[in-house]
């Protein structure tokens, strides 16, 4: 199958070194031992006598943006499931090569490789977006989205991630939100015909505001179109994401998480997900690329901290 080279991507979260990750994870375990962040027994996989399951109803996966962006598909299948990462969103242009240009036999190969590894090919991360003032551009992105839908169907993925990417200058905000919603409805209709969902990333200056995303999804009005939580700073008010979560909870189909050791209130978010009986995946989207030889230690540490923050 074809392999593509990843391009430059510098528009996400702050970067982190492997040492910083390990320091943060070990600090979390130390705080747990002191009665802080979580339980050291949980980090070791020992049952915690809380009356509730120590494991949440949702799982841990990753986006190929950006930690494993330079790993090919065999490397992803070898490292991720062996280190507690159960699913992946294949983001377009990365080294895995899972793109709409694949032939039918190559699509079958992707599906089989993931099945053999016991690894869920969960979703495809397209860059389709629908806020342009040029109708021809919007139409092109809709067709791109449809191509990813067909790829998702063929490899057995559940969703195609799309995104709004800001509010164009000089256009009334309600008009743009309505336009994005209508484009999503067309994508949703096509996706539903093929047993796939459209996952709208809470993304872009202005469009990532939870209230605007709620308006977009209401304008779409299609059951195959849902919200992909993106762990943005704009979710947080007075240290809490509860208000933003309430707006998007009815639409929630996927969750991106990033620096678990940072200021974002992940313990609260995971509690809200548990209370909502969210049973899908939280997908790691840390910005710094990691070499395959460091992949096991990265994801072991990340999963350890994830489990601590998931504790009831």
């Amino acid at each position: 199958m074809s392999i593509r080279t990843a391009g430059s991507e510098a528009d996400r979260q702050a970067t982190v070194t492997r040492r910083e990750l390990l320091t943060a994870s070990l600090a979390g375990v130390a705080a747990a031992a002191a009665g802080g962040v979580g339980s050291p027994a949980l980090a070791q996989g020992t049952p915690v006598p809380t009356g509730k399951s120590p494991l949440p109803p949702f799982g841990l996966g990753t986006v190929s943006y950006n930690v494993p962006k330079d790993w090919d598909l065999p490397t992803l299948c070898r490292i991720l499931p062996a280190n507690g990462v159960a699913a992946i969103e294949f983001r377009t242009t990365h080294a895995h090569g899972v793109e709409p240009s694949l032939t039918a036999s190559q699509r079958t190969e992707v599906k089989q490789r993931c099945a053999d590894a016991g690894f869920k090919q969960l979703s495809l991360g397209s860059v389709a977006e629908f806020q342009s003032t040029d109708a021809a551009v919007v139409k092109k992105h809709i067709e791109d989205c449809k191509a990813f839908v067909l790829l998702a169907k063929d490899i057995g993925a559940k969703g195609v991630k799309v995104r709004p990417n800001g509010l164009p200058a000089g256009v009334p905000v309600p008009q743009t939100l309505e336009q994005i919603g209508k484009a999503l409805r067309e994508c949703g209709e096509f996706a539903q015909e093929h047993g796939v969902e459209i996952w709208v990333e809470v993304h872009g200056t202005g469009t990532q505001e939870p209230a605007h995303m709620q308006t977009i999804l209401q304008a779409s009005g299609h059951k195959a179109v849902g919200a992909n939580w993106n762990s943005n700073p704009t979710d947080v008010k007075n240290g809490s994401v509860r208000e933003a979560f309430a707006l998007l909870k009815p639409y929630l189909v996927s969750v991106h998480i990033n620096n678990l050791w940072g200021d974002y209130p992940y313990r609260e978010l995971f509690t809200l997900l548990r209370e909502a009986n969210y049973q899908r995946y939280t997908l790691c989207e840390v910005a710094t690329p990691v070499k395959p030889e460091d992949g096991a230690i990265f994801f072991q540490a990340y999963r350890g901290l994830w489990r601590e923050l998931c504790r009831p």
Side-chain angles (χ1 to χ4, degrees), residues 11-52:
D11 59 343
R12 273 296 286 168
Q13 309 296 327
T15 60
V16 62
T17 66
R18 182 177 70 165
R19 177 173 294 181
E20 287 169 339
L21 171 64
L22 294 175
T23 299
S25 185
L26 292 173
V29 174
V37 171
S39 164
L42 180 60
Q44 297 167 12
T46 305
V48 179
T50 62
K52 296 182 180 180

Side-chain angles (χ1 to χ4, degrees), residues 212-231:
H212 285 341
M213 182 57 63
Q214 181 192 52
T215 299
I216 288 170
L217 293 165
Q218 288 173 339
S220 167
H222 198 283
K223 63 182 180 181
V225 178
N228 187 148
W229 188 271
N230 201 37
S231 298

Side-chain angles (χ1 to χ4, degrees), residues 47-103:
V48 179
T50 62
K52 296 182 180 180
S53 170
L55 294 179
F58 48 90
L60 176 64
T62 189
V63 181
S64 68
Y65 185 122
N66 207 343
V67 169
K69 75 180 184 68
D70 297 322
W71 304 4
D72 62 16
L73 183 60
T75 301
L76 292 169
C77 290
R78 174 173 56 86
I79 295 176
L80 295 179
N83 291 284
V85 182
I88 190 167
E89 179 175 284
F90 293 112
R91 205 272 197 183
T92 187
T93 75
H94 289 177
H96 51 69
V98 182
E99 303 284 353
S101 58
L102 294 184
T103 65

Side-chain angles (χ1 to χ4, degrees), residues 17 48 50 54 103 106 164 192 196 202 209 235 256 265 278 285 289:
T17 66
V48 179
T50 62
T103 65
Q106 288 171 331
Q192 185 177 34
V196 176
V202 184
E209 295 289 342
D235 304 332
H256 288 174
Y278 176 76
E285 197 180 15

Side-chain angles (χ1 to χ4, degrees), residues 128-134 138 163-168 171 176 179-180 207:
E129 55 190 52
F130 313 110
Q131 72 282 340
S132 176
T133 57
D134 186 333
V138 174
R163 65 185 189 189
N165 201 22
L167 297 166
V171 180
T176 297
Q179 172 183 305
I180 294 170
T207 47

Side-chain angles (χ1 to χ4, degrees), residues 90-207:
F90 293 112
R91 205 272 197 183
T92 187
T93 75
H94 289 177
H96 51 69
V98 182
E99 303 284 353
S101 58
L102 294 184
T103 65
S105 63
Q106 288 171 331
R107 294 175 186 216
T108 300
E109 179 187 354
V110 170
K111 187 174 183 178
Q112 190 61 53
R113 279 185 179 273
C114 292
D116 290 346
F119 185 47
K120 179 65 177 174
Q121 62 280 26
L122 182 67
S123 52
L124 297 170
S126 80
V127 290
E129 55 190 52
F130 313 110
Q131 72 282 340
S132 176
T133 57
D134 186 333
V137 171
V138 174
K139 184 63 177 176
K140 173 63 165 58
H141 280 271
I142 290 173
E143 295 307 312
D144 288 347
C145 178
K146 291 178 179 180
F148 275 96
V149 166
L150 295 177
L151 175 61
K153 176 185 178 181
D154 289 344
I155 70 168
K158 188 175 186 67
V160 171
K161 189 219 74 180
V162 299
R163 65 185 189 189
N165 201 22
L167 297 166
V171 180
V173 171
Q175 179 179 324
T176 297
L177 303 182
E178 179 75 15
Q179 172 183 305
I180 294 170
K182 287 181 177 179
L184 288 168
R185 186 183 311 149
E186 180 175 344
C187 293
E189 289 170 352
F190 184 83
Q192 185 177 34
E193 292 173 2
H194 296 280
V196 176
E197 298 173 349
I198 301 298
W199 298 355
V200 190
E201 187 174 29
V202 184
H203 183 275
T205 303
T207 47

